[in-house]
Amino acid sequence: MAHPYIRLPARSFWRTAVAEPDPLDIADLWSPKFPIGQDDPVVTAGSCFARHIGPALLAEGMHWYDAELPPPGLTPAEREQRGYRRFSFRTGNIYTAAALRQWIAWALEEEKPPEEWWTSGKGLIDPYRPTVQPGGFTSPEEALAGRSVTLAAIRTALTRARVLVFTLGLTEAWWDTGHNTVLPMCPGTVGGTFDPARHVLRNHTVAEVTDDLRAALDMARSVNSRLRTLLTVSPVPLTATATGRHALVATIHSKSVLRSAAGQLADEHEDVDYFPSYEIVTGFPYRAMFYGPNLRTVTPDGVAFVMRHFFAGTAGRPSGDSPADTPVPSSHGGEEQWCDDAVLDYYGPGAVPPAR
């Protein structure tokens, strides 16, 4: 009996799939497990790289569902500063699986968020989305009302969506042991005051990321049994690591953990898939061509290349047949503007920390 390698397609062999083609012609990197129809409401959330997905879906004529629209009267710049139209709800960046689980638990009233705010010279800051209100909130009542709107938007989005696209960004996270909650940023950077007795670094393992994702998706499906999930991993490296490791080693560790967890869930569940945005940007056949000079910012060409593969997969056509000029939303200063953790670079040697 012939062994199985005789019947494998060209995409299964490194020479024919990777080494011989021009890197830009490498195709068939993603075979979707389930269709994403043009009219299917798609909800997006995750790290800063995920902000490109929603506008790209709209530009392609698909249904990106934005559950928390900006109030009238804001200019485009003001909408961006306040975190509108980045994701399907105004949580700001959700870097970790633990934070996704936390937001969904709060939105579905499985848990209650702390009513505690950081103070700054300008106003009150929500510790769980510290960059969405320039100048801060004027009162605890305003801060609580704003968060309530976002939690309601999450509930609505999860109930109406057909597909949730979540981009994993980090394994490192700071926990507030006083409330047993995960924070998006280390206190003392974008706001708040760092307390070493209260704020603890956790570098999540594959098992922890998998458990948090599984819990988050179970809660989401409890209000929407039709919901399917597409996981991705952000190709944006860590700005800084608090583990003591070299930043390069810490980045590879973090992304490997996230990739393993996402792959495991996709293998286990028919309604969970994985899209290889991380591999498309970071794969060494591409020789870092999709990064800016800082080797961190993904260029517009890189984003367009990722979305080209995405739309090729959803349309069921070869990657090379999809539009080469996939629209990319303007970033007005690059990826760094959307990555809250980019502020950590100001605390590196020779840098001047921003005023708060």
Side-chain angles (χ1 to χ4, degrees), residues 163-189:
V163 179
L164 166 65
V165 181
F166 180 65
T167 300
L168 293 149
L170 300 173
T171 56
E172 293 183 33
W174 289 93
W175 282 76
D176 183 338
T177 59
H179 296 299
N180 194 29
T181 52
V182 61
L183 299 165
M185 287 293 297
C186 179
T189 56

Side-chain angles (χ1 to χ4, degrees), residues 25-244:
D25 293 332
I26 294 175
D28 301 323
L29 289 169
W30 180 49
S31 297
K33 292 172 64 174
F34 45 76
I36 303 177
Q38 189 169 11
D39 296 324
D40 287 342
V42 178
V43 169
T44 60
S47 70
C48 48
F49 186 78
R51 73 164 298 273
H52 298 295
I53 299 174
L57 290 172
L58 287 178
E60 190 73 6
M62 299 182 72
H63 185 183
W64 176 45
Y65 185 70
D66 187 352
E68 191 170 1
L69 296 172
L74 295 180
T75 67
E78 288 171 335
R79 290 197 297 266
E80 290 181 347
Q81 291 170 353
R82 287 161 174 76
Y84 290 104
R85 307 294 284 172
R86 294 190 203 174
F87 309 107
S88 293
F89 23 76
R90 198 165 69 116
T91 56
N93 298 322
I94 302 177
Y95 289 108
T96 62
L100 176 68
R101 187 211 61 77
Q102 181 171 269
W103 276 112
I104 293 178
W106 290 347
L108 301 184
E109 299 182 343
E110 297 288 335
E111 299 174 8
K112 183 175 176 59
E115 295 182 14
E116 180 178 323
W117 320 102
W118 290 343
T119 58
S120 71
K122 298 180 180 179
L124 301 180
I125 297 173
D126 187 337
Y128 302 98
R129 46 182 199 146
T131 62
V132 301
Q133 189 73 11
F137 295 97
T138 58
S139 67
E141 292 76 18
E142 184 188 28
L144 184 60
R147 185 193 286 170
S148 297
V149 170
T150 294
L151 293 175
I154 296 173
R155 288 194 297 272
T156 300
L158 293 177
T159 302
R160 297 184 180 180
R162 291 301 301 272
V163 179
L164 166 65
V165 181
F166 180 65
T167 300
L168 293 149
L170 300 173
T171 56
E172 293 183 33
W174 289 93
W175 282 76
D176 183 338
T177 59
H179 296 299
N180 194 29
T181 52
V182 61
L183 299 165
M185 287 293 297
C186 179
T189 56
V190 295
T193 302
F194 181 73
D195 180 354
R198 178 174 177 176
H199 302 127
V200 177
L201 177 71
R202 295 184 186 174
N203 199 10
H204 294 99
T205 64
V206 174
E208 289 170 331
V209 174
T210 303
D211 288 346
D212 281 325
L213 283 175
R214 188 178 288 114
L217 299 185
D218 284 348
M219 283 188 288
R221 283 191 290 263
S222 73
V223 296
N224 182 356
S225 61
R226 302 185 308 164
L227 183 67
R228 297 162 297 186
T229 303
L230 183 61
L231 298 173
T232 71
V233 173
S234 170
V236 179
L238 279 65
T239 300
T241 176
T243 62

Side-chain angles (χ1 to χ4, degrees), residues 32-35 221 227-229 264-274:
K33 292 172 64 174
F34 45 76
R221 283 191 290 263
L227 183 67
R228 297 162 297 186
T229 303
Q264 180 176 331
L265 282 178
D267 288 343
E268 291 176 352
H269 301 280
E270 286 301 315
D271 56 0
V272 179
D273 199 1
Y274 172 77

